[in-house]
Amino acid sequence: MVESNMEDLPLPALFEQARKMHSTATESGADQELVKKGCEALGKCEDMVSKLGLFSANETKDDISTTNLKYVLVTFYLAELTEKVAQDDRIQVLKASQAKLKEFISFCEAMELLPEEELETSTHGGPNSFADQRARKIARFRRERAAEVKLLDLKERKERRGRSSRAATLSTPVEAGEEDMLDDDGEEEREAWLTTISLAICKAFGLLEMLKKEEDMLSAIKEKMSKEGEEFSRDVLDDRTKRAEAWHRDAAVRARYTMPAQPITCATFAQDVLEGRAEVSQAHDHKHKPLIFGPASLVGGSLTSERQRMAAQVFQPAHRLPTMSIEEAGLTEMEIMNNWQERNVKLMEEANSAWYKDDRKPRPGEEDDEDDDAAQEKARAWDDWKDENPRGAGNKKLTPCG
């Protein structure tokens, strides 16, 4: 039923249906039925494009009409869906997808759609140094982000223009001067498809490199297995998977009975101290380890050389790192407060003792001042002087006529 419907559909409707299948299979999980239907629909689109002769080798992107520009993406969509096909021989799937990607890239190169950086790479071969590869990937990523932002902007402009045109149609009749809006829509549609093709080119180069690496890896594994005389069969993989699952299941059951006790933390120890179950002076095993940044976190062990010590200081924060946790700082302050309270208790006990009071008895070894003649003479002389010199007598400035 679906095949008969695809045969009866014209090229624009068939392409729109295949594009929806591609979008659904790419964004959501790769449903194999949907992937196969999408590949079949895109294959029919490719056959119809070749039969109709929509593109010519003598043309460039400026010679292609706006309505036919979207059919350039048929080969790219087919390559992406082909890569998602689940098959026993994965290498054949990778080769088929790479062939479609190369066909798409060569067609875009003939139509002058490739950027200059990618054109130089495809002409002179890929760069050998890692720096060139990194610069090429960064430039490709920036072009991809710019294309996505531009497509989003064009979509928002189209929606705003559609809302305004519908409102204008309901309020006023269409006049002859509004024909320029159609031209603007055509230019925006062409710009949107060119941007979509540019985004597809960036994705095609990245996908081609990834598939090439995967093919090399699978070929190396297959060659190694053939040299060892063993067949890389699915039964062996299923057996290994079952054994691994059984081991993890048994380990989960054993862990219920062999799970060690959780180590005490600073917060737990502080709570025990507050509730009286532990003393501040008691030691606990939990130690605070400050965060380690940079390569030192990858080393994970003690720094044994000067090179490792210098590498550990890379990408360190500008501020000073904490030397203890919040719990440890609280315990330290608690110990200081306890010492202060103990000292205050001792001082209060001394203040309330008998020898601090007024009616205290003389302490042993202390002489009594009242029995001292020198002290009595001094007190008498002081009393005589106060009698002879009344208070304020020498202050002449207080007298009104002085």
Side-chain angles (χ1 to χ4, degrees):
M1 185 68 181
V2 178
E3 294 180 359
S4 60
N5 291 337
M6 287 185 181
E7 293 291 342
D8 299 337
L9 287 177
L11 180 58
L14 183 61
F15 174 77
E16 198 64 30
Q17 184 177 356
R19 192 165 69 90
K20 290 180 180 179
M21 293 180 183
H22 168 267
S23 177
T24 305
T26 305
E27 294 176 357
S28 61
D31 186 9
Q32 289 303 309
E33 293 185 3
L34 184 63
V35 169
K36 291 179 180 178
K37 290 180 182 178
C39 290
E40 184 180 355
L42 288 170
K44 293 186 180 299
C45 285
E46 194 175 24
D47 295 338
M48 293 180 68
V49 168
S50 61
K51 288 179 181 178
L52 294 174
L54 299 181
F55 306 112
S56 174
N58 300 324
E59 294 179 344
T60 60
K61 62 181 180 180
D62 298 331
D63 300 327
I64 303 175
S65 62
T66 304
T67 55
N68 297 335
L69 197 60
K70 57 187 175 182
Y71 301 124
V72 178
L73 297 167
V74 172
T75 311
F76 172 70
Y77 290 159
L78 184 58
E80 276 196 329
L81 286 185
T82 304
E83 185 268 333
K84 296 183 180 298
V85 174
Q87 190 175 338
D88 294 338
D89 193 358
R90 176 64 178 171
I91 297 179
Q92 295 298 326
V93 175
L94 296 177
K95 288 182 178 179
S97 180
Q98 289 182 72
K100 289 297 180 182
L101 288 173
K102 291 178 182 178
E103 181 182 350
F104 170 71
I105 292 173
S106 61
F107 180 79
C108 291
E109 183 179 357
M111 293 296 161
E112 299 180 358
L113 290 168
L114 286 183
E116 295 181 359
E117 298 85 355
E118 302 292 354
L119 186 61
E120 292 177 359
T121 304
S122 60
T123 303
H124 303 290
N128 297 324
S129 63
F130 289 102
D132 294 338
Q133 293 180 9
R134 181 175 179 273
R136 184 183 60 181
K137 288 183 179 180
I138 291 175
R140 187 182 300 160
F141 176 74
R142 289 176 178 174
R143 289 197 303 271
E144 186 174 347
R145 290 296 300 273
E148 291 176 353
V149 172
K150 190 174 182 180
L151 283 175
L152 185 61
D153 183 36
L154 290 173
K155 183 179 179 180
E156 292 178 355
R157 283 162 53 186
K158 185 177 180 180
E159 291 177 354
R160 288 197 301 267
R161 179 170 294 181
R163 290 194 297 267
S164 61
S165 62
R166 286 194 298 270
T169 304
L170 294 174
S171 60
T172 57
V174 180
E175 298 180 359
E178 296 180 355
E179 295 178 355
D180 296 338
M181 294 179 63
L182 299 176
D183 297 337
D184 294 339
D185 292 339
E187 292 178 0
E188 284 188 3
E189 183 181 1
R190 185 176 184 83
E191 188 177 2
W193 283 118
L194 288 175
T195 308
T196 306
I197 293 173
S198 176
L199 179 61
I201 290 172
C202 296
K203 292 182 178 180
F205 276 103
L207 183 60
L208 186 62
E209 292 179 0
M210 185 185 68
L211 295 181
K212 181 63 177 173
K213 291 179 181 178
E214 186 178 356
E215 182 186 359
D216 295 341
M217 182 181 64
L218 292 178
S219 301
I221 293 175
K222 188 175 182 180
E223 183 179 358
K224 182 179 179 182
M225 298 301 293
S226 62
K227 286 182 179 180
E228 293 178 357
E230 299 179 0
E231 295 183 357
F232 194 72
S233 61
R234 186 170 295 276
D235 297 335
V236 177
L237 293 178
D238 293 340
D239 183 48
R240 292 178 181 176
T241 304
K242 289 179 181 179
R243 284 188 291 174
E245 290 178 353
W247 185 88
H248 284 290
R249 186 166 52 251
D250 296 340
V253 174
R254 292 193 304 268
R256 299 176 184 175
Y257 307 101
T258 60
M259 184 178 297
Q262 294 291 334
I264 186 171
T265 60
C266 288
T268 307
F269 182 71
Q271 187 69 22
D272 292 341
V273 171
L274 290 175
E275 295 179 358
R277 292 189 297 270
E279 297 292 337
V280 181
S281 58
Q282 295 179 357
H284 58 96
D285 298 332
H286 180 73
K287 299 295 182 182
H288 171 69
K289 294 181 179 180
L291 295 176
I292 301 176
F293 298 87
S297 60
L298 302 178
V299 174
S302 60
L303 305 179
T304 57
S305 63
E306 183 68 18
R307 181 183 180 87
Q308 292 180 356
R309 188 188 64 80
M310 295 177 65
Q313 297 178 357
V314 180
F315 302 121
Q316 292 292 318
H319 59 276
R320 292 184 179 180
L321 296 177
T323 57
M324 63 175 64
S325 64
I326 298 177
E327 292 85 358
E328 290 177 336
L331 292 175
T332 304
E333 293 184 359
M334 188 184 301
E335 186 176 1
I336 295 173
M337 180 60 67
N338 290 335
N339 295 334
W340 181 74
Q341 289 179 353
E342 291 176 0
R343 189 169 61 251
N344 285 345
V345 169
K346 291 181 180 179
L347 293 176
M348 291 299 295
E349 290 178 354
E350 292 179 358
N352 294 329
S353 61
W355 64 276
Y356 265 102
K357 295 182 179 179
D358 294 337
D359 56 345
R360 69 184 186 277
K361 298 179 180 179
R363 297 176 64 181
E366 183 180 4
E367 297 180 355
D368 190 2
D369 293 338
E370 295 180 357
D371 298 337
D372 193 2
D373 297 337
Q376 291 182 1
E377 292 295 335
K378 184 177 179 180
R380 290 172 183 172
W382 177 246
D383 292 337
D384 295 340
W385 187 87
K386 285 196 295 184
D387 293 338
E388 296 175 358
N389 300 282
R391 184 182 180 90
N395 196 348
K396 299 294 185 179
K397 294 182 179 180
L398 295 178
T399 56
C401 301

